[in-house]
Amino acid sequence: AGTYTSLSATRLHESDPGPSGYLWTSTPLVGDGVAEIDTSGSFKPAAAGLYEIKAVATDDPEVWGSALILVTPAVSAISGIPEGLRNTRHMAMAQLSDGRIANIGGEDDKGTAKKETWLYESDSGKFSVGPALAAPRTRSKAVGLADGRVLMIGGTGTRIGPDGKDHPGYLPSAEFLDFQKNERIPLPISEGLQGRLPYWHAGGSLTVLKDGRVLIAGGGKNAEAREGPSTLFNPGTKVFALVDGPEIGMDHRAVRLEDGRVFIFGGMEPGELRPSAKIWVFDPQTGRVVLKGTMRQARAGHTATLLPDGKILMAGGISKGIGKGILASGELYDPVTGMSGLTGKLKRAHTGH
């Protein structure tokens, strides 16, 4: 942000009037920043954000073109990364209520799951050791709660079987981590669903609701299936409860709206090795997940971001299968109208971001 970028417009199939023949405007779509753009197309954003740049021919207002420009803040490399955190992949990350970032589990370059946790403080730029997990986990999910704790669920790793021996595989269990007290809070496992997920969980999503409960949407329910039911977890009672509704595939994305509803986009089509274009919605008032509509493009492994105007921006992902058909396209979904439309493209195709 703050650097000048020279933009240009060219009228196709007609005589082009040059830079001075266009009226340039800049509109922020994401973020609160503003940007200057002069008559020659010199663009200077004052802050990071997503901007729509529009060029309108001065001699014919019906002739115009537009583009989306994403401005990111300057990022400097993090120094002082602990040895135990280096070369770690597939870790879970969660932001605490005080802004610190928890880095949890993951696996080393040989695929061995880890049980270590680390806490990063952006103000000091330093890492500190957190509470160890009960069992090594990788590819799990974590979310920060309002009381400062972190809920961690599922993933793969090693669990103790009925024979008392370690068994690798999916982990149908959850853990609380308290980074304030640097301790792990075990969830009681008894009859019913206390402390234990009702299915193996991989590739789903965690969304904190306005009342503090956590919606655990979809994800692989066993080693073969790439879809699963949704579950509600109450941090106060430590009880899981199955949610009424269809099974949802892994690698979808979930977004909570201001009214408390959670919209769930895409993921792998249940029972098939291809992405879905379906949109589901969870309403806390009814406690059910229902099909809401479809996206313009089937997606899995994409991003979904709630914009200030209430619309949701999806970008990237895959469209044809695991690791295939990586997308550069984006689309905007309007929860009010239920309509979705394609928008600008990423500079490069991305998935898993």
Side-chain angles (χ1 to χ4, degrees):
T3 58
Y4 284 95
T5 301
S6 181
L7 304 176
S8 63
T10 302
R11 185 183 301 185
L12 302 178
H13 310 301
E14 297 182 33
S15 176
D16 187 70
S20 61
Y22 297 99
L23 174 63
W24 294 85
T25 59
S26 170
T27 304
L29 300 180
V30 178
D32 299 324
V34 295
E36 299 176 2
I37 188 164
D38 62 20
T39 56
S40 66
S42 184
F43 173 64
K44 184 181 181 181
L50 180 66
Y51 298 85
E52 181 184 32
I53 309 302
K54 192 172 184 178
V56 180
T58 54
D59 61 346
D60 187 353
E62 297 298 320
V63 178
W64 59 273
S66 65
L68 293 178
I69 294 182
L70 177 64
V71 178
T72 58
V75 177
S76 58
I78 297 176
S79 59
I81 297 177
E83 186 66 31
L85 193 55
R86 295 178 183 176
N87 298 320
T88 301
R89 60 192 181 189
H90 302 312
M91 71 180 69
M93 301 181 71
Q95 185 172 23
L96 277 62
S97 55
D98 61 8
R100 294 180 297 170
I101 305 296
N103 302 266
I104 308 167
E107 62 186 58
D108 60 21
D109 52 8
K110 296 181 180 179
T112 302
K114 297 184 174 185
K115 62 191 304 183
E116 294 83 10
T117 70
W118 302 85
L119 194 61
Y120 176 71
E121 298 187 26
S122 58
D123 291 341
S124 64
K126 294 181 179 181
F127 289 87
S128 58
V129 178
L133 299 172
R137 292 176 186 261
T138 182
R139 302 174 186 268
S140 55
K141 296 289 182 178
V143 67
L145 305 178
D147 61 8
R149 293 178 298 173
V150 171
L151 172 68
M152 186 168 189
I153 67 165
T156 60
T158 302
R159 58 190 175 91
I160 300 176
D163 56 2
K165 297 181 180 180
D166 290 342
H167 294 268
Y170 287 92
L171 301 174
S173 60
E175 298 185 45
F176 271 140
L177 298 173
D178 190 331
F179 284 88
Q180 300 283 0
K181 299 179 180 178
N182 199 39
E183 65 181 14
R184 180 181 64 85
I185 305 171
L187 289 170
I189 298 176
S190 59
E191 292 185 7
L193 301 178
Q194 285 186 292
R196 183 176 294 277
L197 289 168
Y199 60 94
W200 294 359
H201 183 91
S205 62
L206 301 182
T207 305
V208 179
L209 306 180
K210 283 194 169 184
D211 62 7
R213 293 179 299 167
V214 180
L215 175 66
I216 306 168
K221 61 185 176 184
N222 55 47
E224 289 76 34
R226 296 184 178 275
E227 70 281 341
S230 297
T231 307
L232 276 176
F233 177 70
N234 188 322
T237 62
K238 303 181 177 67
V239 172
F240 293 93
L242 284 171
V243 172
D244 183 28
E247 294 190 339
I248 298 174
M250 61 195 307
D251 295 331
H252 62 264
R253 295 295 182 263
V255 176
R256 194 192 81 185
L257 303 189
E258 288 299 318
D259 63 12
R261 292 179 299 163
V262 178
F263 278 73
I264 303 166
F265 299 90
M268 300 304 291
E269 186 71 40
E272 302 182 36
L273 293 178
R274 63 179 178 86
S276 171
K278 293 176 182 175
I279 302 172
W280 297 268
V281 62
F282 170 77
D283 189 339
Q285 299 298 319
T286 64
R288 300 180 66 244
V289 173
V290 297
L291 183 64
K292 185 68 174 178
T294 58
M295 296 182 288
R296 293 285 297 273
Q297 171 73 63
R299 297 175 189 270
H302 50 293
T303 60
T305 305
L306 181 64
L307 305 183
D309 63 1
K311 295 179 182 179
I312 299 167
L313 174 66
M314 272 82 68
I318 58 173
S319 63
K320 296 182 179 180
I322 300 176
K324 298 178 181 179
I326 301 178
L327 297 167
S329 64
E331 63 181 280
L332 280 172
Y333 176 75
D334 188 338
V336 176
T337 64
M339 301 296 291
S340 183
L342 295 176
T343 182
K345 289 189 175 182
L346 301 170
K347 186 175 182 180
R348 295 180 181 177
H350 288 275
T351 185
H353 51 304

